[in-house]
Amino acid sequence: MAKALLGYVGGPDPRLLSEMRRLQQRVRDLETELVRVQAENDALYAAADDRFDVAQVEPALSRA
């Protein structure tokens, strides 16, 4: 009887638990994607830095 009352009154809702697990997985997926994108951005930045020496690049527009 106590188990039935607990389930009826305030036990864990399976839908809520399922949604919580789904959201936790989504957060993990987004964190993984963020790390991947940051690494890709760092690699692109390093590649661009190797190609262009900022001290030797002339401005595209100059005031004459």
Side-chain angles (χ1 to χ4, degrees):
M1 180 76 171
K3 287 183 182 179
L5 286 174
L6 180 61
Y8 177 75
V9 174
D13 184 4
R15 293 171 296 179
L16 183 62
L17 293 175
S18 175
E19 181 69 6
M20 188 173 63
R21 280 192 295 272
R22 186 186 71 78
L23 290 172
Q24 287 171 337
Q25 182 61 48
R26 181 70 175 138
V27 167
R28 283 191 296 271
D29 293 344
L30 289 172
E31 288 172 340
T32 301
E33 180 73 7
L34 177 62
V35 168
R36 185 190 68 77
V37 169
Q38 285 175 333
E40 183 179 342
N41 189 45
D42 291 344
L44 289 171
Y45 183 75
D49 196 32
D50 289 343
R51 280 198 228 159
F52 301 107
D53 184 8
V54 178
Q56 295 179 358
V57 175
E58 296 181 14
L61 300 174
S62 61
R63 295 182 184 179

